[in-house]
């Protein structure tokens, strides 16, 4: 069971209550832990984490058609934990059908755990998007692999930064610079009246050259 999220009996009871009576999902707290669920354990009856280690948080639940999505987030600044630990599990608690706090979602990350790094060692942020489906296949699952993903806002900003970076794709820029240099040489040969001994110099290699500056090998140029 890696990157699985299970809805407990308390979660299903709350789902039924919200369907019958209306209302909103009121999350009270989120926790991450280092425990591993035993193979013979019944996740439906869980009331807490196997080994709770730190407080986490979540985004507000967002409903779209028959699904509800939210994002679990562990941040080092939310925890007083002094030593690193493996995040093997997380739990989402909410006001249950009986009006009391209950564990409604349990996340099992034990196959591919993340490391929680305390602030004194630099800190970290770990995010786990969750998608709950209401219907015949009702349940919960991670919407993305928890180890490698970005939000659209982060990706869009990264693309814009990349597009204006003059040093991006040095290999392609080097090829372009080479083509441009050869074209300039052709233009020089046919558009210039040469009466002496012609010679050319490129910066693909510095063999036989004495020059000042920083040689950018990828872009075949000298930088000052």
């Amino acid at each position: 069971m890696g990157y699985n999220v299970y809805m407990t009996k308390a979660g299903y009871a709350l789902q039924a209550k919200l369907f019958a009576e209306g209302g909103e999902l009121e999350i009270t707290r989120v926790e991450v832990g280092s425990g591993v669920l035993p193979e013979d354990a019944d996740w439906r009856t869980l009331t807490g984490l196997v080994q709770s280690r730190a407080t986490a948080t979540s985004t507000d639940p967002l409903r779209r058609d028959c699904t509800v999505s939210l994002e679990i987030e562990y941040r080092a600044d939310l925890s007083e934990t002094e030593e690193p630990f493996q995040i093997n599990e997380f739990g989402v608690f909410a006001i249950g059908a009986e009006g009391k706090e209950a564990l409604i979602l349990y996340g099992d990350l034990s196959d591919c755990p993340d490391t929680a790094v305390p602030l004194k060692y630099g800190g970290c942020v770990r995010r786990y998007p969750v998608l709950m489906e209401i219907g015949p296949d009702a349940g919960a699952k991670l919407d993305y692999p928890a180890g490698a993903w970005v939000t659209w806002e982060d990706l869009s900003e990264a693309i814009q930064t990349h597009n204006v970076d003059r040093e991006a794709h040095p290999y392609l820029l080097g090829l372009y610079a080479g083509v441009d240099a050869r074209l300039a040489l052709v233009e020089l040969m046919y558009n210039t009246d040469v009466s002496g001994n012609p010679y050319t110099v490129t910066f693909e290699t510095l063999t036989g050259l004495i020059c000042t500056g920083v040689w950018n090998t990828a872009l075949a140029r000298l930088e000052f």
Side-chain angles (χ1 to χ4, degrees):
M1 298 183 298
Y3 295 120
N4 291 318
V5 182
Y6 303 101
M7 186 175 292
T8 64
K9 285 185 176 180
Y12 283 118
L14 177 59
Q15 184 183 106
K17 179 179 184 295
L18 296 178
F19 176 79
E21 303 175 9
E24 296 182 355
L25 175 62
E26 184 179 347
I27 295 176
T28 55
R29 60 189 169 100
V30 180
E31 294 181 348
V32 295
S34 57
V36 177
L37 195 64
E39 292 185 2
D40 59 348
D42 185 355
W43 46 264
R44 292 170 298 182
T45 61
L46 289 175
T47 58
L49 300 188
V50 177
Q51 186 178 1
S52 179
R53 294 295 298 271
T55 299
T57 186
S58 75
T59 59
D60 291 330
L62 177 64
R63 184 185 68 82
R64 182 175 182 181
D65 297 328
C66 296
T67 63
V68 176
S69 61
L70 67 153
E71 182 178 277
I72 308 300
E73 181 177 275
Y74 165 81
R75 299 201 314 268
D77 63 297
L78 295 176
S79 171
E80 297 181 356
T81 304
E82 293 293 325
E83 297 300 325
F85 66 91
Q86 294 295 98
I87 302 178
N88 290 322
E89 56 182 346
F90 67 75
V92 178
F93 296 80
I95 300 299
E98 305 302 322
K100 298 180 180 179
E101 184 183 73
L103 176 68
I104 63 169
L105 291 176
Y106 177 81
D108 178 9
L109 313 174
S110 59
D111 281 356
C112 299
D114 284 317
T115 300
V117 182
L119 279 178
K120 71 176 184 178
Y121 296 120
C124 72
V125 177
R126 304 289 186 233
R127 297 187 178 100
Y128 307 99
V130 177
L131 181 69
M132 294 179 287
E133 183 175 349
I134 311 300
D137 300 320
K141 63 179 182 180
L142 283 178
D143 201 18
Y144 305 95
W149 69 277
V150 294
T151 65
W152 166 247
E153 290 77 10
D154 291 341
L155 180 60
S156 178
E157 181 179 351
I159 291 175
Q160 293 178 23
T161 302
H162 177 79
N163 288 341
V164 298
D165 184 0
R166 297 178 62 88
E167 302 301 324
H169 298 299
Y171 175 73
L172 294 178
L173 290 177
L175 292 179
Y176 171 78
V179 172
D180 187 59
R182 289 195 295 270
L183 178 59
L185 180 59
V186 171
E187 292 176 340
L188 178 66
M189 292 173 61
Y190 287 97
N191 297 333
T192 305
D193 183 14
V194 179
S195 58
N197 296 321
Y199 65 91
T200 60
V201 174
T202 70
F203 294 107
E204 294 179 359
T205 174
L206 295 185
T207 302
L209 299 177
I210 299 177
C211 52
T212 302
V214 178
W215 181 30
N216 188 325
T217 307
L219 297 181
R221 71 187 187 190
L222 282 178
E223 298 174 348
F224 302 92

